[in-house]
Amino acid sequence: MSTNAELAAIFRETADLLDVLGERFKPEAYRRAARSIESLTEDLRAVAARDELRAIPGVGDAIAEKTREFLATGHVAYHDRLLKEVPPGLLEIVGLPGLGPKTARRFWTELAIEGPAELAAAIGAGRLTGVKGFGPKKIAQIRAALAARAASGPARRLPLEVAYPIATRLLAAVRGIPTVERAELAGSFRRAQETVGDLDLLVTSTRPEPVFDAFSELPEVRQVRLRGPTKETVLLDRDLQVDLRVVEPAAFGAALQYFTGSKDHNVTLRTLARDRGLKINEYGVFRGEERVAGRTEEEVYAALGLAWIPPELRVDRGEIAAAAHGPLPPLVTDPDLAGELHLHLSPRAPPAELAAALADAVARGYRYVGVVVAGTERDGTIFRLPPATLAAGPARAARTLEVHRVVEVGPGPPDPELAAVPCDYRLLRPVGPAPPGPPDGSVRGLVHLGFGEGGRPVAEGAAWIEAAARRHLAVEVGPGPERLDSNWARTAREAGASLSVPTGLGASGLDPTRPVALGFARRAGATPAEVANARPTAGLRGPSGR
DNA sequence: GCCGTTTTCGGCCCGACTGTTTTCAGTCG
């Protein structure tokens, strides 16, 4: 887990603890800070080093101090103290669906129940029967929640790349429902957050009932959790929760805006609306009783005097103030991509695989592809793409496509065998037994870094990025433990390094690589000019100008 | 605990849904 995610989790748990203790406003303050820190596009260490913790929305003196304490010691004493005050089992009760802090506190103070096991025992012994507020349905609901938790553990947030194929398939299925006019995914998925806790589907239809009926019957849907006139909540496999909302077409833009969030972005928007004598909610922008906007998002933002804001930037970090001054710089989009700098096939891949990937590149209108022809495996051994593979693919595509030969190298002194392989540029990758260090002078092109789990330790990130920026190298960003953690993407961009977006050449339509990488690059605020493979030629520059 | 063309105190988003309720409390997003 990244530093940011770790501290966010601590603050979130602090909020739960304060909730159970009956505290009134502090819990929301800690949650707001947790959300803010989680959605940061750079590492907390970098923010703290600039002494800018207080500039993070929701972080004041007290939370900034606790953040510094965490960065220095790895824990927060206040959090530790609260953990001693509240029985740990109560937090598990708060985490059960349908149960919150108020109920957990009542169990604790009125019934001396301190955890899920005791709760289950109390229900079994009939101790909840007749207690005010606990009717038969509520008790059955708690029993079911306890059983579900025992069976599958707490619900986990899914990495965006894992959620992508699930969400895409579900969206296609919903669009196939006859009475559905329009359907879009909203929420953290649309904002390209690193992980998603649930999926938000938004649909326009004049007849919600048949939509809910058909949705409930989809093969992916395992259980219907609740259903009202405008909203249905279901569970898929892996306990992934999906909220489906049906709105009228005249409110679609407002609803899409509202359910895309982020929560903090929306709070600031609402405040802005109020200051201008307007009211904004999921049904539109209103002046008194009159709806002045709602059909499209552009219309909603315009009614507030703002340019449209891309979902990936809706994090309440100054984007609203920027949009008040005019259109925001355009973020990189899929059609901007002009090539792939890092096509890495297995050494044992048949020649047809390279041919297929290059054909895909031609079909997409790409102008160049960098094919890895040799490199170092994880275990340190050298691999080379077979000559037959190399001969087959490029020849056919050569007329419309520049094919570059790429050699992957690890940090440290170059292996003599690899150094002898002719290539157009080298790609640096932290593989092999060599100790980590900044790229040496022989690297002319692309830095492909991994941070966090499975990659380089996060603490080294800043040094690598600085070295990459100084040498005009591009830094690859995208899903997976081997690629750049998206929290570093903004740091890399702001340091002056180009980003490189992996394009998933030759993969199926459900492959998450390209859309997720694009989302991360956009979340970092990258314009087409700042993305190396959005340039018309393989725009990699080394110290010698290549 | 945070925040401010409602700034140094007094507020703190709001609507949907459920269950247990004769009008509301708790949870959720």
Side-chain angles (χ1 to χ4, degrees):
Chain A
M1 208 181 340
S2 73
T3 306
N4 297 14
E6 262 177 64
L7 185 60
I10 287 178
F11 283 158
R12 205 163 262 134
E13 191 168 271
T14 302
D16 287 344
L17 291 161
L18 290 166
D19 251 338
V20 174
L21 288 168
E23 199 75 48
R24 297 264 282 139
F25 295 105
K26 286 186 193 182
E28 208 31 53
Y30 277 98
R31 272 190 200 105
R32 166 131 203 259
R35 286 197 304 272
S36 243
I37 287 169
E38 198 161 55
S39 68
L40 232 46
T41 44
E42 61 176 329
D43 195 79
L44 267 176
R45 262 182 272 265
V47 185
R50 294 197 306 271
D51 200 19
E52 287 178 2
L53 289 175
R54 287 290 319 270
I56 299 171
V59 175
D61 285 330
I63 289 183
E65 186 50 45
K66 291 180 176 72
T67 301
R68 281 188 290 271
E69 180 192 357
F70 175 76
L71 290 176
T73 68
H75 65 104
V76 177
Y78 180 61
H79 172 245
D80 295 341
R81 204 180 77 218
L82 293 176
L83 274 177
K84 289 202 188 89
E85 275 181 53
V86 178
L90 281 182
L91 291 181
E92 293 178 52
I93 290 181
V94 173
L96 293 171
L99 294 183
K102 299 265 169 54
T103 316
R105 184 173 169 76
R106 284 194 61 201
F107 287 148
W108 186 29
T109 56
E110 295 175 24
L111 298 163
I113 291 169
E114 299 193 344
E118 290 173 40
L119 180 55
I123 290 174
R127 283 177 61 206
L128 250 58
T129 315
V131 178
K132 186 169 156 45
F134 295 98
K137 281 193 176 175
K138 190 80 196 170
I139 292 176
Q141 186 192 66
I142 297 171
R143 201 197 307 259
L146 283 166
R149 173 58 49 89
S152 61
R156 297 277 300 155
R157 293 181 68 87
L158 293 182
L160 185 58
E161 64 270 26
V162 176
Y164 181 83
I166 302 171
T168 309
R169 260 195 299 264
L170 196 65
L171 179 63
V174 168
R175 284 179 173 162
I177 297 173
T179 51
V180 166
E181 290 170 15
R182 201 176 158 190
E184 296 292 344
L185 286 153
S188 51
F189 182 88
R190 185 164 178 243
R191 299 200 315 276
Q193 282 281 109
E194 198 125 345
T195 62
V196 299
D198 61 11
L199 294 175
D200 295 285
L201 265 166
L202 200 62
V203 158
T204 55
S205 174
T206 48
R207 296 172 58 213
E209 283 306 311
V211 175
F212 289 136
D213 288 342
F215 184 62
S216 309
E217 292 303 316
L218 291 177
E220 293 93 335
V221 172
R222 207 187 62 207
Q223 182 199 331
V224 176
R225 193 173 252 180
L226 54 87
R227 176 170 169 173
T230 65
K231 168 187 169 175
E232 176 170 355
T233 296
V234 305
L235 288 182
L236 312 182
D237 288 333
R238 295 163 169 270
D239 288 332
L240 182 61
Q241 181 172 313
V242 184
D243 294 330
L244 176 73
R245 291 182 173 81
V246 179
V247 300
E248 50 158 344
F252 186 75
L256 187 59
Q257 194 291 315
Y258 184 87
F259 292 112
T260 296
S262 69
K263 187 171 182 160
D264 296 316
H265 175 91
N266 286 356
V267 168
T268 300
L269 228 49
R270 255 196 300 275
T271 309
L272 186 72
R274 200 179 47 192
D275 292 348
R276 301 188 177 194
L278 300 166
K279 193 180 93 167
I280 178 172
N281 57 27
E282 60 264 56
Y283 303 113
V285 182
F286 296 85
R287 177 174 284 114
E289 294 293 299
E290 183 203 359
R291 174 156 60 194
V292 297
R295 194 166 288 275
T296 67
E297 277 196 337
E298 285 81 356
E299 197 180 289
V300 168
Y301 281 101
L304 301 175
L306 301 173
W308 180 78
I309 300 173
E312 296 92 341
L313 299 185
R314 299 180 194 171
V315 290
D316 194 30
R317 293 223 62 195
E319 74 279 3
I320 293 174
H325 288 110
L328 303 177
L331 301 182
V332 62
T333 62
D334 198 51
D336 292 325
L337 298 178
E340 164 68 61
L341 296 170
H342 181 197
L343 178 64
H344 189 144
L345 302 170
S346 154
R348 281 167 298 283
E353 200 172 312
L354 177 59
L358 294 180
D360 188 12
V362 171
R364 293 189 200 178
Y366 286 0
R367 304 187 184 187
Y368 50 89
V369 172
V371 180
V372 177
V373 296
T376 318
E377 298 271 27
R378 284 185 174 287
D379 59 10
T381 58
I382 305 285
F383 72 84
R384 298 190 67 154
L385 212 56
T389 304
L390 268 178
R396 224 171 300 163
R399 243 171 297 170
T400 51
L401 201 65
E402 274 179 52
V403 177
H404 296 285
R405 298 164 60 92
V406 179
V407 170
E408 279 192 358
V409 295
D415 183 284
E417 188 186 337
L418 277 185
V421 178
C423 67
D424 296 290
Y425 57 87
R426 295 185 211 283
L427 181 149
L428 180 72
R429 196 182 183 205
V431 292
D440 75 15
S442 73
V443 174
R444 316 235 336 210
L446 178 72
V447 180
H448 174 205
L449 298 179
F451 293 120
E453 292 166 87
R456 297 255 64 77
V458 168
E460 293 167 16
W464 282 76
I465 283 169
E466 198 183 301
R470 212 171 39 237
R471 294 174 196 277
H472 305 289
L473 308 181
V475 175
E476 189 165 324
V477 55
E482 287 218 332
R483 296 205 176 88
L484 183 67
D485 185 84
S486 74
N487 276 339
W488 287 99
R490 185 175 283 268
T491 308
R493 219 195 102 235
E494 288 175 354
S498 304
L499 301 181
S500 164
V501 174
T503 63
L505 272 190
S508 83
L510 287 177
D511 182 75
T513 307
R514 184 166 91 248
V516 170
L518 263 174
F520 287 176
R522 289 167 58 86
R523 214 148 65 75
T527 63
E530 292 168 328
V531 172
N533 58 326
R535 296 178 191 138
T537 56
L540 296 171
R541 285 173 299 148
S544 58
R546 214 183 103 117

